[in-house]
Amino acid sequence: METVKIFETKSKESKQGIKKSFPVTGMTCAACASSVESILFHTDGVNKATVNFASNSVLIDYDESISEKKLQRVLREVGYDIIIDVEDPVEVQQEFQRKHYQDIKNRTIWSAILTLPIFILGMFFMEWESGKWISLVLTVPVLFWFGRNFFINAFKQAKYGKANMDTLVALSTGIAFLFSVFNTLFPQFWLSRGMEPHVYYEAATVIITFISLGKLLEEKAKSNTSSAIKKLMGLQPKTLKVIENGEEKEIPISEVQVGQTILVRPGEKIPVDGEVSKGNSYVDESMISGEPVPVQKSKDGKVFAGTVNQKGSFQLTAEKVGGETLLSQIIKMVQEAQGSKAPVQKLVDKIAGIFVPIVLGISIITFIIWMFVGGDNAFSHALLTSVAVLVIACPCALGLATPTAIMVGIGKGAENNILIKDAESLELGHKVNTVVLDKTGTITEGKPLVTDIIWTEKLNDKKKYKQILSAIEAQSEHPLAEAVVNHFKEQNVQPTEITSFESITGMGVEAESENGTKYFVGNHKLMVKNDIQIDAALIKASENLEEQAKTVIFFSNSEQVLAILAIADKIKETSKKAITTLQNKGIEVYMLTGDNNKTASAVAQQVGITHYQGEVMPSDKAAFVEKLQADGKIVAMVGDGINDSHALAEANVSIAMGRGSDIAMDVAKMTLITSDLLSIPKALELSKRTVLGIRQNLFWAFIYNIIGIPIAAGVLYPINGFLLDPMIAGMAMAFSSVSVVANSLRLKNIQLIK
C-alpha cells in the first residue's frame, strides 16, 4: 500500500545555508525514513532534514561548509544513499526502485519454491531423519539469502535502540532456525532427557515467505506513489524555442530566463507562464480550468506552462519560469498533500513497536522463571517455553491482515467498476459525510455536444442547409465547430463544397457556396454587424437556451437567420440519481467548477445540488476542501482533470473518473472505471465492508497471541502439567494466518448497494 509520511524534527539554531532536495534510495519502511532524517540531523553542518517517504526524497538545509559528498558518505555508512552529481536524479531513483521491486519479487518467488518442500516434510514426514537434513539445507538460502533483509533491517533498528516488524521476524525465525539446527546436530541432548528433538524449519521459512509476500504487495503499491508527479512533470517540454535577434534558437527549458521571447507552434505544449506578444491561437487549458473548450489567445493574453496550443502559432514573453510556474506550483501542492498523510498500514508498524518489545520481554522473563522453578529439567523447559513464546508470537498474520483484505476488496471493487489503490481510502470511505464534485467530466460528459437545433419556420430543403453548415464548420478552427461537425456526421450528412472561407475574430466565420450565396456562422454580434434579420421566435429561443447555460450559434445567409444551434456539456444520465442517493444517506453534496457562475447555477439546479461555486481555480478547490475539513467534515473529492489533482490529494478520500486524466487517476485513491456517479455509494459501502474485514483480521492476528503466549509461557503447567510444544505453537501461528486469509476471502461474497 502507499506508505506516505513526512517526518519532521525540530531544527537546530537557524543558520544561513543551502536548501536542496535529494532522491533517497534504500528506504524500505517508515522507520528507515526516520533513521535517515535522524542521521542527517545529527550531522555537523546540517541545520534541518525533512524526509518525504512518499516521494523517497529528503530536503536538507545545510551549511556551505559541508559538501554533498559528505552527506552521501554519512548515509552510505548506515546502508542508505542519496543521488547526487547526475543529470536526471529522479530517473536514477526510479530505476533503483524498479530494480528493488524486481528483487523483492524474485526473493518472494524463490522463498515460496523452497518453502513448499520444507513445509511438506515438517508437517507430514516429521519423523524422517533425512528430512530434517534436507530441510536444513533448503532453509539456509530462504532465511539468509532471500530473507536477509529482515535480519539486516532488524540490525539497523537495533543500532538505534528500536524494534519493528523486522525485529520480530528476524528473532523468531533466527531462534527457531538455531534451535532446529541444534536438534538436528545433537538430537541425543533431548532424547537422553526423554524428550523429542523437534525441528521448526517449516515455521521459520513460512514466516519469511508470507511476510515477503506482504512486502511485495506494499512495494508494488508504493512504487506508484510518484507516478502522478512524474506525469505532471511530463507536461512540461524539456526544450523550447526562443527568438533572439530575429532568429530561432532551441535551448533546454532549464536555461530559459524571464523576459525572453518564446515561439509556440501548433500542437506544442506551452513551456512557461507568460503573455502572448504576437499571433493568436486557441489553447487547451483543461489541465488548469477543467473545462473542455479551448480558450482563444491573442496579444496580451495570459498562457500557462503545461497547457496545449491548438492549430495557431504565436510568440509569448516569459513571465514565470522554473518552480514559479502554475504547473510547478500544482506539482508542489500535490507532493505536499500526498506527503501529509499516513496510511492504515502504519497501524501495523505502530502495533509492532509495542508488541515486539513486550513479546521479547515475556520470552526473557519466561526463560528466567523456568530456570528457577524448572527443577531437574529447568534449562530444557526454559528454552522450550521461551522459544514457543517467540514462535507463537510470530507477526505473520499481522503482516497479512491488511494486504489480504485489500486484495480481496480491490477484486470486489473491480467487479463493480471501482478501482481502489490503498487502504487509506478504505479506512475513511465509510466515514465520509461530505462529497465535493467537479462539474466537467464528473457530473457532465466533459465534451461539448449539440443539444438543440431550431430552424426558422417555413424553411425548405433543410438537408441542403445542413450540408452547407457542416462544410463551413469543417473548415473552422473554433473548438465548438467540431461539435457541430460530429453532430452532422452522426446523421450521415455529407458536406457540400465551399468556395471561400474567412474567419472573423471574436464573432465567427463568413463563407460562400458554389452558387455565390454568402453564409454566416457565429454569435449574435456577427448577425447584427451584417444586418441579418432574426425571427422573434428564434430570438426568444436563443434567450431560453442561454438561460440554460448553453452556447448559442447563429447560422444565416446574407438575409436571415436560418437556424440556431445550442452547444453544451451534457449532464450524465445517472448524475442526478447518484446525487439524490448520496443526499438520502445524509451526505452533503457540493459542486465546484471553473466554469462561469451562470453555467454552474444551471447545472446545479438540474441535478438537485444546492451548494455550488463557479469560476473556481485549482488552488481554490483545495482550499474549499481544507475549509470543510476544518469544520470537522470527512470529505470525498470526486474529479477527472489535472485541475482537480491538488484537491484530490488534499481530500480524505479521493475519487477519479475513469475517463478522466491520468494525473487525476494517479493522485486519487479510488477510480470509477465507468465514470458513473452511482458507483460512489457502492464505493463507500465497499469501504465499510473492507475496513471491517481488516479489523477482524487484526483481531484474529492477535487473539492467538493473547491466548497462546501465556500458554506457551507455561501458565498451565502448575495446574495440569501442560507445556506447549513449539511445534504446536508453530501450527497455531500458521492457523492464525489461515484464519486471516479465510476471513478476507469472505469479502468476495458481500452484496454492495444496488
Side-chain angles (χ1 to χ4, degrees):
M1 294 303 105
E2 181 186 335
T3 309
V4 181
K5 178 74 175 173
I6 287 183
F7 298 88
E8 291 192 16
T9 57
K10 187 177 180 181
S11 62
K12 300 176 184 177
E13 186 178 346
S14 181
K15 298 178 183 178
Q16 279 295 108
I18 302 167
K19 280 189 178 181
K20 191 171 181 180
S21 181
F22 300 91
V24 183
T25 61
M27 295 192 301
T28 59
C29 64
C32 293
S34 183
S35 295
V36 168
E37 186 174 275
S38 178
I39 292 160
L40 288 170
F41 180 67
H42 290 97
T43 301
D44 289 338
V46 175
N47 303 321
K48 187 176 181 181
T50 305
V51 173
N52 186 333
F53 190 45
S55 58
N56 283 308
S57 63
V58 57
L59 178 64
I60 309 176
D61 181 350
Y62 59 99
D63 299 337
E64 294 180 357
S65 59
I66 185 172
S67 66
E68 293 180 3
K69 289 281 188 184
K70 182 177 179 181
L71 295 172
Q72 185 181 54
R73 188 165 59 252
V74 166
L75 287 178
R76 282 181 172 178
E77 288 174 357
V78 287
Y80 307 108
D81 199 359
I82 56 173
I83 298 170
I84 61 173
D85 296 335
V86 293
E87 186 174 334
D88 191 349
V90 175
E91 180 59 34
V92 173
Q93 181 193 41
Q94 288 167 350
E95 180 61 29
F96 176 87
Q97 289 174 331
R98 284 191 288 270
K99 289 180 179 178
H100 180 60
Y101 171 76
Q102 192 60 43
D103 185 40
I104 295 177
K105 184 178 179 180
N106 292 337
R107 291 204 306 264
T108 303
I109 291 171
W110 280 106
S111 294
I113 291 172
L114 295 179
T115 295
L116 182 60
I118 298 170
F119 180 78
I120 293 171
L121 289 171
M123 298 302 291
F124 304 107
F125 301 95
M126 60 187 73
E127 301 301 327
W128 185 33
E129 287 299 319
S130 298
K132 296 178 182 179
W133 288 96
I134 295 171
S135 295
L136 169 58
V137 172
L138 294 176
T139 299
V140 170
V142 174
L143 260 65
F144 303 113
W145 183 248
F146 301 119
R148 65 188 183 278
N149 279 6
F150 295 110
F151 295 90
I152 293 170
N153 292 335
F155 177 71
K156 286 181 182 178
Q157 294 300 310
K159 283 172 63 178
Y160 292 96
K162 299 177 182 178
N164 65 357
M165 291 279 287
D166 290 332
T167 305
L168 198 51
V169 171
L171 275 175
S172 59
T173 56
I175 291 174
F177 174 75
L178 292 174
F179 185 63
S180 299
V181 169
F182 180 85
N183 289 355
T184 302
L185 297 174
F186 308 106
Q188 289 301 321
F189 179 85
W190 300 111
L191 291 172
S192 63
R193 290 164 173 76
M195 302 180 73
E196 286 293 322
H198 291 299
V199 294
Y200 307 101
Y201 297 117
E202 77 286 347
T205 53
V206 164
I207 292 168
I208 294 293
T209 301
F210 277 1
I211 299 297
S212 293
L213 177 62
K215 291 274 188 183
L216 180 68
L217 296 174
E218 179 181 335
E219 192 65 29
K220 183 176 182 180
K222 184 175 173 293
S223 67
N224 294 326
T225 302
S226 62
S227 60
I229 304 300
K230 184 180 178 183
K231 288 180 180 179
L232 277 172
M233 290 176 174
L235 292 173
Q236 193 174 48
K238 293 186 177 181
T239 62
L240 50 81
K241 296 179 182 68
V242 297
I243 306 294
E244 292 183 354
N245 301 320
E247 295 183 358
E248 291 182 27
K249 180 182 177 183
E250 187 168 350
I251 63 170
I253 194 165
S254 58
E255 295 179 9
V256 69
Q257 301 292 322
V258 172
Q260 284 187 298
T261 301
I262 298 166
L263 174 65
V264 182
R265 289 198 170 101
E268 290 183 345
K269 293 172 184 174
I270 295 171
V272 298
D273 292 1
E275 190 175 272
V276 176
S277 57
K278 184 179 180 182
N280 62 79
S281 181
Y282 285 93
V283 175
D284 179 356
E285 293 188 338
S286 58
M287 65 150 286
I288 303 295
S289 66
E291 300 311 309
V293 180
V295 180
Q296 186 176 19
K297 299 291 181 180
S298 54
K299 191 172 180 357
D300 299 332
K302 298 290 184 180
V303 290
F304 304 96
T307 57
V308 182
N309 184 27
Q310 300 289 284
K311 297 179 180 179
S313 178
F314 62 89
Q315 295 178 13
L316 68 91
T317 303
E319 293 182 337
K320 292 182 179 179
V321 300
E324 298 300 315
T325 66
L326 183 59
L327 175 61
S328 295
Q329 293 302 310
I330 291 175
I331 292 171
K332 182 181 178 182
M333 289 186 291
V334 171
Q335 285 177 320
E336 290 175 354
Q338 282 185 330
S340 65
K341 299 177 182 177
V344 77
Q345 274 71 24
K346 282 288 293 171
L347 176 63
V348 176
D349 276 337
K350 287 179 181 177
I351 293 170
I354 303 170
F355 181 63
V356 174
I358 291 175
V359 170
L360 293 176
I362 292 173
S363 180
I364 293 169
I365 291 170
T366 298
F367 185 89
I368 293 171
I369 290 174
W370 276 105
M371 285 299 292
F372 282 103
V373 302
D376 294 337
N377 295 318
F379 178 75
S380 58
H381 283 177
L383 186 59
L384 284 172
T385 51
S386 58
V387 168
V389 166
L390 286 172
V391 171
I392 205 167
C394 172
C396 185
L398 191 62
L400 288 172
T402 299
T404 53
I406 295 303
M407 285 178 68
V408 178
I410 287 172
K412 187 67 178 179
E415 291 174 12
N416 290 272
N417 298 313
I418 305 164
L419 292 182
I420 301 166
K421 290 174 66 175
D422 74 355
E424 181 185 3
S425 54
L426 288 174
E427 182 183 22
L428 291 173
H430 68 287
K431 298 179 181 179
V432 166
N433 52 28
T434 304
V435 172
V436 178
L437 301 172
D438 171 52
K439 177 183 74 70
T440 306
T442 302
I443 296 175
T444 66
E445 295 287 353
K447 57 182 179 180
L449 299 171
V450 175
T451 59
D452 307 87
I453 298 182
I454 303 174
W455 297 90
T456 188
E457 294 181 6
K458 300 178 183 179
L459 184 67
N460 297 320
D461 199 6
K462 290 180 183 177
K463 181 180 179 182
K464 180 186 77 171
Y465 291 117
K466 286 181 180 179
Q467 291 176 324
I468 292 170
L469 177 56
S470 178
I472 295 171
E473 292 291 60
Q475 293 190 36
S476 174
E477 291 186 358
H478 196 285
L480 294 182
E482 187 177 353
V484 178
V485 172
N486 291 336
H487 177 78
F488 286 130
K489 275 184 181 178
E490 291 173 1
Q491 296 184 359
N492 295 317
V493 173
Q494 297 299 319
T496 187
E497 289 294 324
I498 297 295
T499 57
S500 69
F501 180 92
E502 181 184 355
S503 178
I504 304 169
T505 304
M507 294 187 185
V509 299
E510 177 184 333
E512 193 172 302
S513 64
E514 288 181 307
N515 62 9
T517 304
K518 282 188 176 182
Y519 292 94
F520 299 90
V521 182
N523 57 25
H524 187 263
K525 290 180 182 178
L526 183 65
M527 302 298 109
V528 173
K529 180 184 177 183
N530 291 278
D531 297 323
I532 307 296
Q533 182 183 345
I534 309 175
D535 290 346
L538 290 182
I539 292 176
K540 185 176 181 181
S542 68
E543 290 173 349
N544 289 335
L545 292 169
E546 286 176 345
E547 286 178 2
Q548 298 172 40
K550 297 180 180 180
T551 301
V552 177
I553 296 174
F554 293 82
F555 170 48
S556 75
N557 55 25
S558 58
E559 298 175 357
Q560 66 170 350
V561 172
L562 305 173
I564 59 172
L565 295 83
I567 297 177
D569 189 5
K570 188 179 177 183
I571 293 173
K572 295 175 185 175
E573 293 181 3
T574 57
S575 290
K576 185 173 182 179
K577 183 178 178 182
I579 290 164
T580 302
T581 301
L582 290 169
Q583 290 170 336
N584 290 340
K585 288 177 170 292
I587 296 173
E588 293 182 355
V589 181
Y590 293 79
M591 184 187 78
L592 303 179
T593 177
D595 213 335
N596 60 67
N597 286 312
K598 187 175 182 181
T599 302
S601 175
V603 172
Q605 188 174 0
Q606 290 180 61
V607 296
I609 293 178
T610 56
H611 308 291
Y612 65 89
Q613 283 188 22
E615 300 177 5
V616 179
M617 293 295 287
S619 57
D620 297 329
K621 289 184 179 182
F624 188 84
V625 169
E626 289 177 339
K627 182 178 181 299
L628 290 173
Q629 291 171 326
D631 293 337
K633 307 288 188 183
I634 305 298
V635 182
M637 174 70 197
V638 187
D640 78 316
I642 295 170
N643 64 304
D644 302 315
S645 59
H646 182 201
L648 285 167
E650 202 66 57
N652 301 96
V653 176
S654 47
I655 304 173
M657 299 288 103
R659 295 173 189 168
S661 72
D662 289 344
I663 308 302
M665 287 187 282
D666 281 346
V667 173
K669 303 299 165 49
M670 293 187 185
T671 299
L672 308 182
I673 300 173
T674 59
S675 293
D676 184 351
L677 289 187
L678 281 174
S679 295
I680 297 176
K682 287 185 178 182
L684 301 184
E685 176 66 16
L686 181 61
S687 160
K688 178 181 177 181
R689 298 299 189 92
T690 307
V691 78
L692 177 63
I694 292 172
R695 288 171 179 170
Q696 290 171 340
N697 286 347
L698 290 174
F699 168 79
W700 286 115
F702 281 108
I703 194 66
Y704 293 98
N705 292 310
I706 293 170
I707 296 172
I709 287 176
I711 294 174
V715 294
L716 295 179
Y717 188 79
I719 302 171
N720 56 16
F722 177 77
L723 278 180
L724 183 65
D725 191 301
M727 183 66 183
I728 299 174
M731 291 176 64
M733 174 278 298
F735 186 60
S736 69
S737 300
V738 172
S739 300
V740 164
V741 175
N743 187 60
S744 294
L745 291 174
R746 289 194 312 116
L747 289 168
K748 285 187 175 183
N749 301 318
I750 64 172
Q751 292 294 319
L752 298 179
I753 298 171
K754 293 183 179 179

